[in-house]
Amino acid sequence: YWLHGSDSVTAGIAQISATFDLAIESGQIPPLILVFANGLPLGMWCDAESGLQPVESMDVDDLLPEVDARFRTLPEARSRLVEGFSMGGYGAARFAFKYPDRFGAASILGAGPLQLDFLVDDPNLQPIQLRRYVLAQVYGNSLAIFEARSPWRLAEQQQLPTGYRLRQVVG
């Protein structure tokens, strides 16, 4: 399951698909089903506090069983990997620590935001106006809700099962 970054719901699908196709054709990886989930442009891979954007529920509770029903999958956690870049890396980290019973591995690529203070004054982060917008739209203007849904806090609450594969790429 590939989770896209912010503002890139469809960008990169062709390139990522081609990369996986070449890897399968060359024998580098076995055949697999690559699912491009939709987290909305700024959905943060969370259900919005307002209930208007149930991104997490739709992807985890609806999409996973739908894929298993439609395709010849191995419908168990050990056969599923969640991977994402940027906002998608944040989502992959969240899903890894919140749903180890549904994903047996996670690849977290350039994940963000991982800081616990969403509104920290830091020029290396997304502009503060954008973060304020996301805080309002997804987290109901609550820094406590943002922090509670953070991969950091989820990791503190959930011990991953033995054999869980976790990769984090930063840079």
Side-chain angles (χ1 to χ4, degrees):
Y1 287 80
W2 173 261
L3 309 185
H4 62 79
S6 62
D7 290 330
S8 62
V9 175
T10 58
I13 289 177
Q15 181 181 359
I16 294 166
S17 295
T19 300
F20 274 89
D21 284 344
L22 286 173
I24 291 168
E25 289 170 12
S26 69
Q28 292 176 312
I29 61 173
L32 55 86
I33 297 169
L34 183 57
V35 178
F36 292 94
N38 188 340
L40 301 178
L42 296 169
M44 302 306 298
W45 300 99
C46 297
D47 288 345
E49 191 62 17
S50 67
L52 296 176
Q53 297 176 177
V55 172
E56 179 178 336
S57 296
M58 288 184 351
D59 286 323
V60 175
D61 297 332
D62 298 337
L63 182 61
L64 265 67
E66 183 68 20
V67 169
D68 288 340
R70 286 185 181 229
F71 300 97
R72 203 174 90 204
T73 66
L74 300 173
E76 54 218 16
R78 68 180 186 84
S79 299
R80 287 193 201 107
L81 168 110
V82 61
E83 179 173 64
F85 173 73
S86 190
M87 180 184 83
Y90 170 88
R94 288 192 73 254
F95 288 5
F97 290 110
K98 191 168 181 184
Y99 303 105
D101 60 323
R102 298 189 197 187
F103 298 99
S107 176
I108 305 162
L109 309 174
L114 291 182
Q115 75 279 5
L116 291 176
D117 182 353
F118 193 56
L119 298 180
V120 66
D121 184 19
D122 185 336
N124 296 310
L125 301 175
Q126 293 280 0
I128 190 70
Q129 300 88 341
L130 180 61
R131 287 183 279 142
R132 287 187 190 284
Y133 174 81
V134 170
L135 186 67
Q137 294 298 308
V138 177
Y139 305 104
N141 269 325
S142 172
L143 289 171
I145 291 171
F146 166 78
E147 184 177 332
R149 293 183 182 177
S150 163
W152 285 103
R153 294 297 181 233
L154 294 172
E156 291 172 345
Q157 299 164 11
Q158 176 73 267
Q159 183 171 346
L160 294 175
T162 302
Y164 196 96
R165 298 166 309 233
L166 186 65
R167 171 176 78 161
Q168 182 173 11
V169 178
V170 179

